[in-house]
Amino acid sequence: MSPSPDARVEALLRDLGSRLRRGGSHEAARQASGGRRHATGLADVDALIGGGFPAGRLCEIAGPLSSGRTSLALALLAQATRAGEWTALVDAADALDPASAQAAGVALERVLWVRPQDAQQAARASARLLELRGFALIALDLAPTRAQSPLPDAAWQRLARAAAASGTSLVVLAPRRIAGAHSALSLETRRARAHWSGTPALLDGIEIEAEVTRRREGPARVAAVRLRAASRAA
Amino acid sequence: MAPSVGSSRIACLLVPDLPRAAALRAHPDLAGRPFAVCAGAGPRAEIASASEEAIRLGVRRGHTVAEARSLCASLAVHVASPALEEATRAALLDAALSCSPRAELEPRCAGAYAGEAAVCADASGVTPIFGGEAGFATALTQRAAALGLPARVAVASSRSTARIAARRIAGDGETLLLAPGDEAEFLAPLPIDVLDPDDALAERLTRFGVHTVRDLLRLPRASLAARLGPAAVALGLLARGHCALPPPGAPAEALVAEALDLEHPAERLEPLLFALQALLSRLLARLEVRHLACDELALSLELAGGGRDARRIGVSAPTRELRVLVRLVAQSLESRPPHAAVQCARLETRGVPLRRDQLDLFRPPGPAPGALAPALAELASLCGAARVGAPAVADDHHPDAHALREFGPASRDAAPPEPAGTFLLALRALRPAAAAEVRLRAGHPIWIRSAVCSGRVLRSAGPWRTTGGWWSREGRFAFDHFDVQTEDGTVARLRYDHVTRGWQIDGVYD
C-alpha cells in the first residue's frame, strides 16, 4: 500500500533536513552556484575575499580615482575570460580602455561591452543580462554622481535577487559603497602612493590598499592588504 | 539534334489553382469556407478563383463580386496578391528542394493553365532515400502539404510529360507514375488541349479534325511543318514525350522570400507586426523544410505615396525560432518606425545551415545563441546599436580610438590570451576628454584645474607626442601627453591638443 500524502511530506522534510530554512534564497543561490568564486588572480586580494567574488551575489569594489578599483576589475575579468567564462561589462561611465584590458590579459572577445547612457539604463541592461544567464561575471561600472546612490534601494534589491537566481557574480564598481545591505561583499580600495623612477621620471605604478568593509559570510574584519599595480609588464 | 527521352526521371509537383492556394496559405482560417479570389477591388471585380464550397453554391470564375455575393452571401472575397502568389510558387520550389537537390520552377502558362503553379524536380536516384519513385512522389506531396500547399505529383521521363500527367491527376495529394516508354501511350487518348497549343494553332488543328494527341501523331511529320508551322512541330514533339527543356538544375543560392500586399495600408505598428509575424511564420516553415536557418533578415516595406523602407535585421546566430525573429523585427520597427502607411511587405533571407554548437566538456557553455540575439537587440535599442558589442583595440594612433566587434559564440574557439604576469595598472578613459586649465613651468605642468582633479602637480612625466590623420582636415590630430600626479592623489593622463590649442584630461590611472 503506497504511503499517504502526509507520510510522503514527512519523509521529504526529513530528507531535506537542515537545508530547509526560512528565507533560503541565499542558500539557494549558494547551492545554485555550487559555492563557486571568481578570483582576481592576485593572491593577497583573493585571500582577503575568501578565494574570490562569490557567484550568484552582488558585490562591490569601491574607491576613489587612482585607488586601483579599475585595475582590480580588469584583473577579475582577465581571470574569468582566460578560464573560458563569458563576461559582461555594463559601462555607464564609458571608461573602458580596450588596450589596458588587453594588456591586463582580458580576452576581449569574451566580454560583452554595453555602454548605457545613465544609471537607469545601466540597471536595466544589467537586469537583462542576468535574466539571459550564461555570463559568469558581470561588472557594472557606474559613473560618479552627487547623489548618495545612483539607483534606488529597490533597484539594488532586484539586481541582487536576479544575480542569485542566475548564479552570476554582479560586481559593482563605484567611487564609494552604494549597494548598502544588498552587497554580499564590499571591497574598498584606497590610494597609498604613486611610484616614479628614472631620469627623466616615468610612472612606475601605484600602490593601493584594499580592505573588505562588508561581508555577509566569513570573518567580519580582516586586515587590509597593500599591493602595487605596475604601469608596465615585467 | 532533336531532344530525346533519355534515362532521366522528372517529377512534377503541381498546384492547379495558384490564387486559391495562395489565399489559403496566407489565411488558413478560410479552409472549409466559401471564398473567392478576385482580380481587383470593388463589386465589379471579376472572380479569378473560388473554393470548392463557393463553387458548390454556384460561384464561377468570371462572375463579378456582386454576382457571386448574390449566390453566396457569406462569401469571403480576397483580392489577388501577385506578391503572395510569387511567394507561394517559391514555397512550392522549397518543398521540391527538400526532397531533391535539383528542382526548378516551371514557366507560367497562358490560357487554360494560367492559374497553375508547377515545379519540376530531378527524380533520379531516389530509391536509396525514398524506397522508389512512389515514395518520392508521396514525400513531395507531404512536404507541400506541410507548407500549406495542396499539390499533386506525377513522375515521367520528361518535364513536359510529367507536367501534363500532373494536370490529369484528379485530387490533391495524389500521385501518378509513368513508367519509361509509357509516355506516348498515356498521351495518345488525351485531348489536344493538354499540349497547351496557342489559340490560333488550336483552331487550325480542330479544322483539320485533330482532336486528340493520337490524331496529331497520325499526321505526317514532313507536312506538319509545311502546313501548320514550327509551333505544330514542337507540339508533335511534346506529343511523343519529348521536351526541349533540360533537366532541372540546382538553385544558385538558397534565397527565401515571403511577401504580402496588405488589403488595407497599415498605419500603426500593431497590425503591421501581426502581418509580419504571419510572413515570418511562413518563411520559417520553408526554411525548416529545407533544413536551413535564418542569419539575417532583409525587410522591405512599400509605403503609401510611393516611398520605400528597406532595412536589414541581423541575427547573432542562425535561428529558426519565430519568437526571436518577431522580437528583432518589432524592435527594429519600434526604434525606427516607417514614415508612412505600409502597403506591401517583403521579408527575405539567405538560408544557411543551422549551426549546431559543439559544447566543450572543459569550457563553460555561455549564453544560449537563440536567447542572445534578442537580448543583444534589446540592449542595442536601449543604449544604441553602436554601444553594444565586444571591445577591440582599434588599429589607430588616435588616443580616443576604440573599436567594437560583434559579440557572439563564434569566438568560442579563440585561444585565450597570455596572462599578464603582473598586476597591471589600468587606464580609465574619459569620454569625452575633460577640459583642464593648466599652468606650465619650463614646458611642464605645475598646476591643474579640472572636473577630474585639481591642485598642484607633484610629479609629471612627458611629453610624448602623438600625431596622425594629417591628410584630412577633419581627422588630423596632434597631442602632447603627460602623466601627472596632483596633490589630491589622482594620477591622470593629461594632453595638450595642438589642433584645438587646449588642455584636456583623457584618462585616469586607476
Side-chain angles (χ1 to χ4, degrees), chain A residues 66-71 82 85-86 94-96 100 103 105 108 110-111 113 115 121 128 141 191 196 201 227 229-230 234, chain B residues 364 366 378 382 386-387 389-391 393 402 412 417 422-429 431 461 485 488-489 491 509-510:
Chain A
S66 300
S67 66
R69 73 168 190 264
T70 305
S71 304
R82 246 198 332 273
E85 301 277 12
W86 294 90
D94 201 4
L96 177 70
S100 285
L108 296 179
R110 288 183 172 269
V111 178
W113 186 23
R115 295 185 288 156
Q121 279 188 7
R128 186 66 184 91
D141 193 345
R191 307 168 189 147
W196 301 79
L227 60 160
Chain B
E378 263 184 68
L382 176 68
R387 299 175 77 86
V393 177
H402 59 278
R412 189 184 298 276
T422 315
F423 178 36
L424 282 182
L425 182 63
L427 180 75
R428 192 176 174 81
R431 298 189 185 98
Q485 178 185 357
D488 63 2
V491 183
Y509 292 100
D510 182 28

Side-chain angles (χ1 to χ4, degrees), chain B residues 107 109 204 232 244 286 304 385 449 477:
Chain B
C109 296
R204 292 178 74 187
R286 288 170 59 186
R449 182 164 67 188
F477 62 89

Side-chain angles (χ1 to χ4, degrees), chain B residues 221-268:
Chain B
R221 281 196 216 185
S223 58
L224 202 62
R227 303 191 73 170
L228 294 170
V233 175
L235 218 63
L237 287 172
L238 284 179
R240 287 174 176 80
H242 293 285
C243 181
L245 294 171
E253 59 173 355
L255 204 63
V256 180
E258 283 284 341
L260 177 66
D261 293 313
L262 297 170
E263 292 196 13
H264 305 285
E267 293 179 347
R268 294 185 300 113

Side-chain angles (χ1 to χ4, degrees), chain B residues 403-498:
Chain B
L404 208 62
R405 286 187 306 202
E406 191 180 324
F407 178 82
S411 51
R412 189 184 298 276
D413 297 326
E418 292 294 321
T422 315
F423 178 36
L424 282 182
L425 182 63
L427 180 75
R428 192 176 174 81
L430 289 177
R431 298 189 185 98
E437 187 185 332
V438 177
R439 289 183 203 151
L440 301 173
R441 181 188 295 155
H444 288 266
I446 57 168
W447 182 91
I448 295 174
R449 182 164 67 188
S450 74
V452 178
C453 59
S454 294
R456 205 161 44 88
V457 174
L458 301 179
R459 298 292 293 268
S460 73
W464 300 281
R465 179 160 291 185
T466 312
T467 64
W470 44 264
W471 53 89
S472 158
R473 190 168 185 79
E474 294 76 27
R476 64 194 172 113
F477 62 89
F479 300 106
D480 282 342
H481 275 98
F482 295 85
D483 289 338
V484 296
Q485 178 185 357
T486 54
E487 63 182 342
D488 63 2
T490 309
V491 183
R493 193 169 76 174
L494 178 72
R495 73 187 187 194
Y496 179 73
D497 187 341
H498 287 276

Side-chain angles (χ1 to χ4, degrees), chain A residues 83-211:
Chain A
E85 301 277 12
W86 294 90
T87 64
L89 172 62
V90 181
D91 191 0
D94 201 4
L96 177 70
D97 176 42
S100 285
Q102 190 178 60
V106 177
L108 296 179
E109 67 276 2
R110 288 183 172 269
V111 178
L112 174 61
W113 186 23
V114 181
R115 295 185 288 156
Q117 317 267 13
D118 54 42
Q120 282 69 33
Q121 279 188 7
R124 284 175 62 186
S126 302
R128 186 66 184 91
L129 290 171
L130 288 168
E131 180 192 341
L132 178 62
R133 304 194 179 216
F135 290 98
L137 176 71
I138 297 174
L140 171 56
D141 193 345
L142 293 170
T145 62
R146 290 210 172 92
Q148 184 68 18
S149 172
L151 295 173
D153 189 71
W156 290 120
Q157 187 179 42
R158 279 194 294 271
L159 287 174
R161 283 188 176 159
S166 65
T168 301
S169 278
L170 177 62
V171 179
V172 179
L173 310 176
R176 58 186 179 280
R177 284 183 50 202
I178 50 176
H182 304 289
S183 170
L185 177 69
S186 297
L187 180 69
E188 288 198 55
T189 58
R190 290 185 290 273
R191 307 168 189 147
R193 57 177 291 209
H195 292 269
W196 301 79
S197 68
T199 307
L202 291 176
L203 176 65
D204 269 352
I206 293 177
E207 204 165 319
I208 65 171
E209 275 187 7
E211 180 184 11

